[in-house]
Amino acid sequence: MDNNKKAIINPYSAAGIVAAQSLGEPGTQMTMRTFHYAGVAEHVPTGLPRLIELVDSKKEPKKPLINIYLKSAYSRSETKVREVADELESILLSEVADVTEEMGKRIIRVIMRPEDAKALHVTSSMVEKAIKKTVVTLDVEKEEERTFVVKVKKAAGTGDEPVLKILRKLTGKLAKTLVKGIAGIKRAVVVRDKDGEHFIRASGFNIRDVVLRDEVDSTRIYTNNVMELWKIFGIEAARKALVFEITQVMEMQNLAVDPRHIMLLADAMCADGKVKSIGRHGLSGEKAGVLGRAAFEETIKHLVNAAVTAEEDNLVGVTENIIVGQTIPIGTGKIKLRMRADK
Amino acid sequence: MAEEKKKKRKRGKCAIYVNGNLVGFHQDGAGLVGRIREKRRTNELNYEINVFFNERANEIYINTDAGRVRKPYVVVEAGKSRLTPEISKKLQAGQLSWEHLIKMGVIEYLDAEEEENSYIALSEAELTPEHTHLEGVPSAIFGVTSSVLPYPEHNSGPRITMACSMAKQSLGVYANNFTQRFDTRAYIMYYPQQPILQTDAYRVLNMDKKSAGQNFVVAITSYKGYNMGDGVVMNRSAIDRGLGRVMMFKTYEAEERLYPGGQKDKIEIPGPDTVGFRGEDAYKHLDEDGIVHPESRVEGKTVLVGKTSPPRFLEEISVFGVVEEKKRESSLSLKPGEKGVIDSVMVTEAPSGNRLVKIRVRSPKVPEIGDKFASRHGQKGVMGLVLPQEDMPFTKDGIVPDLILNPHAIPSRMTAGHLLETLGAKAGSMEGKIVDGTAFTGNTEEDYVKILKERGMDEYGEEWLYDGITGKRIGVKLFIGPIYYQRLHHLVSNKMHARSRGPVQLLTLQPTEGRAREGGLRFGEMERDCLIGYGASMVVRERLLEESDKTRQYVCQECGMLAHHDMVKNKNVCSLCGSNDVVPIEMSYGFKLLLGEIRSLFIFPRIILKDKA
């Protein structure tokens, strides 16, 4: 027999259970140790916490990271890459200026801190632009070289909200206004990869806006944020990312797991075109049989719901058949013999 | 409290707490503490007072209350011990006592807090002017359990910990009045010995009068794989001579309990009309009073105390109009699988005033394969083979080991003390003396080497051994000598358990759990997952249904409800819809219960039957 045929598993093999055990057993040996990434976002969860994060398909990982490669025209020189990185990094108004409210005069005063602004390459015109964009209809006065005053008054569309309330709200909003960079990108550092190419490692999310920049090579952008990849690049990208991330977690702990088990897990999570978690709110919660779901978690909820909708359990799953006391439809139990009457 | 502390900090004065209560402030904390201590040493203050000065927080804690653990130390002043040679001489002459030393301020007791203020030297030689106290003997740094272990300074730390916890499991003489006691469970060693190599603390604690172990002759060599992985091989003749033999005592209790309504249990031989009568044979060891005869041999479920109880519910009035008193059998019997002799019977009164019978059963426990033994160095092992003495290796002098220990047990565990004890005990047995293995101060290896050399023996305790089977000399010299071994509480005979058929639980009809209930071993969720992983669905079915709680239930095909078989009409009927279209179905009893529980939630589960495709 050739090796290919040998590698094919038997019909009705319990591939899911085997995959679950093969991933679960090394999981018990994982340490809680975290590893350090160069530069950005220290303590990126690895090991068990990270695995749980992936399998639960959290909306956002604890430490979202983006690897941004630039088009070859830019990626040669480190300084150019650094320039782009600086432009990507988001800077909020509060990082370069003091935003203070003056209730008596009903104004908000924005005073730039020259040293901070210089260090972050922020000019007063950028600040002015950002303020104008946020306050829209209100007047912005340039009081001094680096001081702006927003006069708050009753404006259309705010209804009968008192002016002071608007003032308060606006102060907070201004402090969080983006002056420069791409929203969501917290820090961006230039790193060299194995082949000596420079790329940007940023912490945060919002790869959509990053991709829109000309310098960025959109075919090579990657983030460990599986859910974001799914939304922007589709389910297949998310599936691949899941496999990649889980593989990385296992490798980092020096645990050997056959890639096919990981692929099966990712397949199961992505089979419906959306990334589902393992557990109550995902895969297990959507099992076909009532008995199977009731046996897992929230027993009474499932039973009551099944009763209300007069649900029928056709006993297709393993658990259901064990509960009832029948041969389980897997492996030997699924094989049937038929006899041809004419012979 | 916070308020007080603030005040204190403002003034920069030292706060003084007596037994945890703030009593005042003082300018000079360090000076005050010094004076208090001096007064304590000169008997102006009671010697039970302890003072602790927290320099960082500038606080003094004076403790005079009960419950502090305190330990005596020799007082040191300016690098000089107060226990001078003159005082020692007087002490030895009996002119001074311990109380005198305390009165004289030579010795004082420190509690855990005051110890933080002291700098204690282990020996007089290392005293410096900074030292405040001196340890009486260096081995006093150990606690009660660890100070009876020989040569702990030659062993690795974890092994000492293990040796301590194992010493607590050793079987010996737990109390010298054991014949008078009725402990629920007790073990007494037949021939306990005191170790040839012992520590000072061992004698101080009077352990030589309640030993828990024997001096085994141990050879260190592998033996045909029977002592692999912490196994030990033992000498059958040695066991027959009583090596490691213990007696197990177990006490059973039966009480004549009172019931509401003035009814009472009665200790007697139950008559054949008792409900649950177990047959004449079960009561054959009972005397007329319904209690077993002492020294009778009992086994299995034989009755120790015959007892009858009043009926649980009031009886119906019989045809003749008299209330028939049907008594219930509630005898006390020996636990299944146990065996022994009735050692002693005691009849007393329970705290409630009821008559109470205590029966002590004794059963000898001869060492057998699977029993656990350990030296005092955390070296435990399980007996893997009982070898006839004829087949055991022997020395030219005819010394045959009692136990063969695998050499692999030594290097990785770094229990050099085990070897040193063997060497020391060997030298001691040659001299006919008990030798000292106290921590730090005990005899040294050189002492033993010297003794063995003088006797013309191998100075390192190694000897040529001859194979007991072939008679040929073994190719290398083996390390052999006596060492103190303990038999540990874990006896296989108290743990061995197997089941093929047996009792089931009342509610679920599934097999019972646990040795005491003759139970099965749980085939759990993860085990089940493994079988599913193999695709062995027939095995899953067998484990979870056939070998567990399989039942046959009737299911109505009309309404899907569980039906029943009407014995009178000999017909199957559905009690819900009255249909006779009822078929028997095999299912687990657990599922039948589940259906009932679901119905109790006001949900109606229907079973819809289909033919197998």
Side-chain angles (χ1 to χ4, degrees):
Chain A
M1 228 202 301
D2 64 300
N3 286 331
N4 184 44
K5 273 190 183 154
K6 259 195 251 170
I8 296 172
I9 59 167
N10 289 317
Y12 305 121
S13 282
I17 292 266
V18 174
Q21 289 185 341
S22 307
L23 280 162
E25 192 275 335
T28 60
Q29 300 181 27
M30 269 199 249
T31 49
M32 297 295 273
R33 214 151 33 116
T34 50
F35 291 89
H36 292 267
Y37 271 94
V40 247
E42 293 195 343
H43 294 296
V44 177
T46 51
L48 203 59
R50 174 67 180 147
L51 193 66
I52 291 169
E53 207 171 81
L54 288 165
V55 155
D56 285 352
S57 62
K58 287 258 170 70
K59 278 224 183 73
E60 238 173 69
K62 248 193 192 140
K63 285 283 145 79
L65 285 180
I66 310 175
N67 289 344
I68 305 160
Y69 278 90
L70 300 189
K71 286 177 183 152
S72 53
Y74 304 92
S75 69
R76 296 250 163 73
S77 88
E78 195 184 336
T79 42
K80 180 67 201 169
V81 179
R82 189 151 286 152
E83 251 168 56
V84 178
D86 284 344
E87 281 169 42
L88 290 178
E89 215 170 317
S90 68
I91 289 155
L92 304 183
L93 189 56
S94 57
E95 284 176 72
V96 290
D98 295 315
V99 182
T100 48
E101 50 185 9
E102 280 171 40
M103 292 282 194
K105 295 181 195 158
R106 307 215 160 150
I107 55 166
I108 303 169
R109 183 161 286 152
V110 181
I111 307 158
M112 281 178 71
R113 295 189 298 268
E115 317 85 61
D116 289 347
K118 207 177 168 191
L120 297 168
H121 307 292
V122 174
T123 61
S124 69
S125 65
M126 288 161 86
V127 171
E128 192 173 357
K129 222 166 109 188
I131 296 171
K132 277 185 177 154
K133 213 173 153 192
T134 313
V135 300
V136 200
T137 53
L138 298 173
D139 292 337
V140 179
E141 240 174 59
K142 198 165 180 182
E143 204 178 65
E144 271 171 55
E145 177 51 33
R146 289 196 176 83
T147 307
F148 303 92
V149 172
V150 181
K151 283 188 181 149
V152 182
K153 55 183 182 217
K154 258 205 154 82
T158 46
D160 46 23
E161 240 181 331
V163 179
L164 286 180
K165 204 170 175 185
I166 303 172
L167 182 90
R168 209 3 105 68
K169 265 190 180 170
L170 206 57
T171 315
K173 210 171 152 192
L174 268 175
K176 282 183 207 144
T177 299
L178 190 71
V179 183
K180 191 190 148 206
I182 291 172
I185 307 292
K186 271 178 208 134
R187 281 179 68 196
V189 188
V190 179
V191 193
R192 264 171 86 148
D193 70 4
K194 283 192 295 258
D195 308 321
E197 192 179 346
H198 297 283
F199 69 99
I200 301 163
R201 179 172 281 156
S203 74
F205 37 92
N206 195 1
I207 56 172
R208 187 197 300 264
D209 290 343
V210 175
V211 167
L212 291 177
R213 284 194 62 113
D214 286 337
E215 301 95 327
V216 174
D217 183 354
S218 59
T219 61
R220 288 201 287 166
I221 195 159
Y222 182 74
T223 172
N224 63 356
N225 190 345
V226 175
M227 297 307 265
E228 198 181 11
L229 280 177
W230 165 44
K231 270 178 215 142
I232 289 161
F233 293 108
I235 193 72
E236 279 301 316
R239 202 193 104 253
K240 273 198 135 176
L242 267 176
V243 174
F244 177 78
E245 289 291 327
I246 296 173
T247 311
Q248 218 179 24
V249 169
M250 301 312 271
E251 268 173 10
M252 212 169 268
Q253 306 268 340
N254 279 322
L255 299 171
V257 177
D258 193 293
R260 282 168 289 187
H261 298 312
I262 300 172
M263 285 161 72
L264 182 65
L265 179 79
D267 280 347
M269 287 175 71
C270 300
D272 284 6
K274 57 181 180 185
V275 182
K276 277 189 295 185
S277 64
I278 307 284
R280 199 167 46 211
H281 305 292
L283 269 179
S284 305
E286 291 176 17
K287 274 202 266 191
V290 202
L291 289 177
R293 269 179 283 133
F296 178 57
E297 265 169 25
E298 300 176 306
T299 311
I300 295 184
K301 183 184 118 186
H302 287 297
L303 288 180
V304 170
N305 286 343
V308 170
T309 57
E311 205 177 321
E312 211 170 285
D313 191 326
N314 287 314
L315 305 182
V316 284
V318 171
T319 330
E320 293 94 308
N321 280 291
I322 288 181
I323 292 172
V324 169
Q326 284 187 348
T327 315
I328 52 168
I330 216 163
T332 327
K334 193 93 178 186
I335 304 290
K336 279 174 190 124
L337 288 180
R338 283 187 195 171
M339 196 171 70
R340 256 169 54 190
D342 54 327
K343 279 202 175 170
Chain B
M1 199 62 169
E3 193 67 15
E4 286 168 356
K5 278 196 175 157
K6 234 179 246 167
K7 250 189 241 165
K8 167 200 72 189
R9 213 171 290 136
K10 224 181 269 170
R11 292 198 220 137
K13 281 180 184 171
C14 178
I16 296 153
Y17 296 88
V18 175
N19 294 332
N21 301 316
L22 182 75
V23 292
F25 300 92
H26 196 269
Q27 309 273 12
D28 172 25
L32 179 69
V33 167
R35 281 198 298 285
I36 292 174
R37 287 190 184 141
E38 202 38 57
K39 280 194 194 295
R40 179 179 64 194
R41 287 168 193 172
T42 54
N43 278 307
E44 278 180 71
L45 282 170
N46 192 294
Y47 76 99
E48 283 182 6
I49 289 170
N50 282 108
V51 212
F52 166 60
F53 180 42
N54 184 343
E55 218 175 325
R56 276 245 297 287
N58 200 22
E59 287 170 345
I60 293 174
Y61 286 90
I62 301 169
N63 284 309
T64 66
D65 48 355
R68 287 166 295 131
V69 179
R70 298 157 81 240
K71 194 180 157 188
Y73 292 98
V74 176
V75 178
V76 170
E77 263 179 342
K80 287 264 160 55
S81 163
R82 276 204 188 179
L83 185 69
T84 55
E86 300 90 74
I87 296 177
S88 316
K89 211 177 272 173
K90 277 188 188 168
L91 204 61
Q92 270 159 5
Q95 289 163 327
L96 286 175
S97 69
W98 181 259
E99 278 69 32
H100 287 125
L101 293 185
I102 294 166
K103 287 265 155 65
M104 290 157 70
V106 173
I107 276 169
E108 70 181 357
Y109 283 87
L110 299 187
D111 69 354
E113 279 182 276
E114 190 170 343
E115 225 174 56
E116 297 293 322
N117 284 162
S118 55
Y119 184 39
I120 303 159
L122 267 189
S123 69
E124 210 162 345
E126 62 188 57
L127 277 177
T128 65
E130 283 101 72
H131 281 103
T132 60
H133 294 87
L134 174 66
E135 191 80 65
V137 277
S139 60
I141 61 164
F142 291 108
V144 172
T145 329
S146 46
S147 60
V148 296
L149 303 179
Y151 294 124
E153 77 273 31
H154 292 274
N155 288 331
S156 65
R159 288 287 143 185
I160 300 173
T161 318
M162 292 166 78
C164 284
S165 49
M166 277 188 276
K168 295 177 203 161
Q169 302 172 18
S170 60
L171 306 178
V173 183
Y174 67 102
N176 287 311
N177 64 341
F178 64 92
T179 48
Q180 314 300 311
R181 296 170 62 112
F182 280 77
D183 299 279
T184 32
R185 195 188 269 188
Y187 293 87
I188 292 292
M189 183 167 252
Y190 275 58
Y191 305 112
Q193 295 175 346
Q194 56 173 312
I196 300 173
L197 190 133
Q198 46 189 243
T199 66
D200 291 340
Y202 189 85
R203 283 181 294 271
V204 170
L205 295 166
N206 273 329
M207 291 292 286
D208 49 349
K209 289 175 187 72
K210 25 182 193 270
S211 302
Q214 288 167 329
N215 296 291
F216 286 27
V217 175
V218 174
I220 299 186
T221 178
S222 57
Y223 193 84
K224 297 179 180 175
Y226 284 102
N227 58 4
M228 277 196 303
D230 281 333
V232 294
V233 173
M234 279 182 75
N235 183 331
R236 174 176 294 152
S237 305
I239 291 171
D240 291 345
R241 282 177 222 121
L243 190 83
R245 188 172 298 211
V246 297
M247 182 69 87
M248 180 174 85
F249 293 96
K250 243 182 175 180
T251 304
Y252 289 78
E253 280 180 11
E255 190 186 335
E256 274 185 348
R257 216 166 270 148
L258 276 168
Y259 293 91
Q263 285 171 307
K264 218 178 162 189
D265 286 339
K266 195 177 177 206
I267 292 176
E268 61 179 352
I269 302 176
D273 54 341
T274 324
V275 178
F277 184 67
R278 302 204 210 166
E280 287 301 332
D281 208 45
Y283 309 101
K284 65 181 175 189
H285 292 296
L286 302 188
D287 284 337
E288 288 102 86
D289 58 358
I291 304 172
V292 261
H293 189 76
E295 293 304 322
S296 48
R297 291 173 185 276
V298 285
E299 198 174 324
K301 295 171 180 171
T302 43
V303 173
L304 300 180
V305 180
K307 201 172 74 175
T308 52
S309 304
R312 235 180 277 231
F313 309 103
L314 277 179
E315 288 293 319
E316 283 174 43
I317 296 165
S318 74
V319 205
F320 307 105
V322 267
V323 180
E324 237 178 84
E325 272 290 278
K326 272 230 163 178
K327 283 189 278 184
R328 237 168 62 232
E329 140 84 76
S330 60
S331 298
L332 172 78
S333 52
L334 202 68
K335 279 191 183 156
E338 295 203 351
K339 194 179 160 181
V341 179
I342 305 302
D343 190 61
S344 180
V345 172
M346 182 173 72
V347 182
T348 40
E349 220 173 52
S352 52
N354 300 328
R355 204 156 83 104
L356 178 74
V357 180
K358 287 191 172 196
I359 289 157
R360 191 168 65 198
V361 183
R362 90 177 107 87
S363 25
K365 296 283 180 186
V366 182
E368 56 178 319
I369 289 175
D371 282 354
K372 193 178 176 185
F373 291 85
S375 76
R376 290 177 292 169
H377 307 271
Q379 285 289 2
K380 57 182 173 230
V382 174
M383 203 201 282
L385 178 69
V386 186
L387 196 62
Q389 175 157 343
E390 311 86 83
D391 295 342
M392 278 248 158
F394 55 90
T395 68
K396 67 174 199 303
D397 306 308
I399 299 288
V400 185
D402 297 318
L403 186 146
I404 302 178
L405 182 74
N406 197 303
H408 291 306
I410 309 291
S412 59
R413 294 175 188 155
M414 299 180 286
T415 54
H418 186 100
L419 306 178
L420 192 53
E421 188 192 339
T422 311
L423 191 74
K426 194 170 188 177
S429 57
M430 294 316 292
E431 294 248 285
K433 278 179 190 158
I434 279 176
V435 283
D436 182 21
T438 310
F440 309 120
T441 56
N443 298 332
T444 60
E445 184 192 344
E446 289 73 40
D447 298 337
Y448 301 139
V449 167
K450 203 177 141 226
I451 293 169
L452 290 173
K453 230 179 193 171
E454 278 168 8
R455 312 227 156 219
M457 299 174 74
D458 184 289
E459 60 212 86
Y460 295 116
E462 292 179 342
E463 287 181 52
W464 290 109
L465 267 82
Y466 298 85
D467 188 314
I469 297 171
T470 64
K472 283 183 182 161
R473 197 177 76 179
I474 296 170
V476 282
K477 278 180 146 186
L478 297 181
F479 186 68
I480 182 171
I483 175 170
Y484 200 63
Y485 256 78
Q486 300 153 319
R487 183 160 182 214
L488 303 187
H489 197 113
H490 308 279
L491 313 179
V492 255
S493 58
N494 290 335
K495 295 186 171 178
M496 203 164 57
H497 174 55
R499 162 182 173 140
S500 58
R501 282 172 286 163
V504 290
Q505 275 159 23
L506 200 64
L507 176 70
T508 61
L509 298 190
Q510 286 165 7
T512 51
E513 204 187 325
R515 187 179 117 103
R517 273 163 287 159
E518 253 190 278
L521 296 175
R522 190 181 157 82
F523 191 82
E525 218 174 323
M526 294 172 89
E527 289 76 12
R528 182 206 73 158
D529 288 347
C530 288
L531 290 190
I532 296 170
Y534 288 122
S537 32
M538 298 304 168
V539 186
V540 177
R541 195 187 138 111
E542 185 174 276
R543 281 293 110 189
L544 271 39
L545 188 73
E546 318 277 345
E547 302 281 72
S548 179
D549 57 349
K550 184 171 151 180
T551 65
R552 171 177 284 213
Q553 297 289 331
Y554 296 94
V555 173
C556 170
Q557 292 204 284
E558 298 251 319
C559 66
M561 174 75 161
L562 286 186
H564 62 95
H565 180 76
D566 190 326
M567 295 293 249
V568 181
K569 293 176 189 160
N570 196 24
K571 253 184 184 173
N572 296 332
V573 248
C574 171
S575 39
L576 187 70
C577 66
S579 163
N580 286 326
D581 187 10
V582 165
V583 284
I585 294 290
E586 269 173 13
M587 62 172 74
S588 74
Y589 194 78
F591 181 57
K592 190 227 140 189
L593 287 177
L594 175 70
L595 292 175
E597 288 222 20
I598 291 176
R599 279 202 298 277
S600 75
L601 288 172
F602 276 82
I603 298 170
F604 177 37
R606 288 170 196 271
I607 299 170
I608 303 161
L609 299 173
K610 269 182 218 154
D611 276 328
K612 263 192 192 166

